[in-house]
Amino acid sequence: MLEQWGTPPAAPAALIDAGLWGRTSDGYEFYNWHAYQPRKEDVDAERAASRERMRELRARRKQGKPQKDAEEQEPFGRTGPNGSENVRNPDPTRPDPTPTSKEVEGASRGSRVPEPFDISDDMRAWAKEEVPLVDIDRKTIEFVDYWAAIPGQKGVKLDWGRTWKNGMRKQQEFAERDAGKRPQKPQVKIPSNEEWMYR
């Protein structure tokens, strides 16, 4: 079977060494298969529970009753044990479950780059130690201009202090690279007055 799939000959041995596969009398087996793949019984039980929830929901709507505890219900997806542990495995028909309102509220939203972007004493101390070749005042102006010009969500960050540090590290790399490329000035000996006189 592995040959039919075009599997490289070294792949099974590598997977066994990594502890992902085991050798059996008739081939190979996956380790911890049920830890990562739901069993048929679990899938069938989840589907039956979903059908029952939808039946009850439709019945309530038909009777004109408000949906009880709408915010408390779990989104689509498996939230119970799947044969090994209590993990949230998405339903294969809905791979990206909709987050609950509590999850959305808990998520940090990030922000655009602050203007003015103040460099604290701690940031200056960090820069002196970590990025000594960078003129942080000049490069911070470039940093703010760059991020202010990025449109939409790409210009939103959760932690501007860390983003700034990453930017300054990149500037340090550029400075180190450029320092290695600078041609060495030739050593020119300037003759003294006496030497000029006797030429």
Side-chain angles (χ1 to χ4, degrees), residues 84-134:
S84 65
E85 57 184 318
N86 195 9
V87 294
R88 181 176 179 167
N89 292 324
D91 186 318
T93 61
R94 291 180 172 82
D96 297 318
T98 306
T100 64
S101 60
K102 292 176 184 176
E103 289 173 332
V104 171
E105 287 171 10
S108 297
R109 295 190 177 252
S111 63
R112 305 282 303 174
V113 65
E115 294 187 66
F117 189 93
D118 296 321
I119 304 173
S120 68
D121 292 339
D122 288 342
M123 293 165 79
R124 288 186 185 281
W126 174 88
K128 185 176 181 182
E129 190 71 29
E130 298 291 328
V131 291
L133 299 179
V134 178

Side-chain angles (χ1 to χ4, degrees), residues 122-190:
D122 288 342
M123 293 165 79
R124 288 186 185 281
W126 174 88
K128 185 176 181 182
E129 190 71 29
E130 298 291 328
V131 291
L133 299 179
V134 178
D135 177 353
I136 62 168
D137 292 304
R138 188 168 67 86
K139 291 300 180 182
T140 297
I141 293 170
E142 292 177 17
F143 171 85
V144 172
D145 287 344
Y146 173 82
W147 284 108
I150 298 292
Q153 194 62 27
K154 289 185 180 180
V156 174
K157 299 294 174 196
L158 292 175
D159 188 337
W160 280 106
R162 289 179 188 266
T163 304
W164 176 83
K165 285 182 178 180
N166 285 335
M168 295 305 110
R169 286 186 190 106
K170 188 59 74 176
Q171 294 302 321
Q172 175 73 15
E173 290 174 15
F174 294 152
E176 290 170 357
R177 180 198 64 198
D178 293 345
K181 288 184 177 179
R182 285 190 190 130
Q184 296 294 324
K185 293 183 180 177
Q187 296 291 330
V188 177
K189 185 173 186 273
I190 300 173

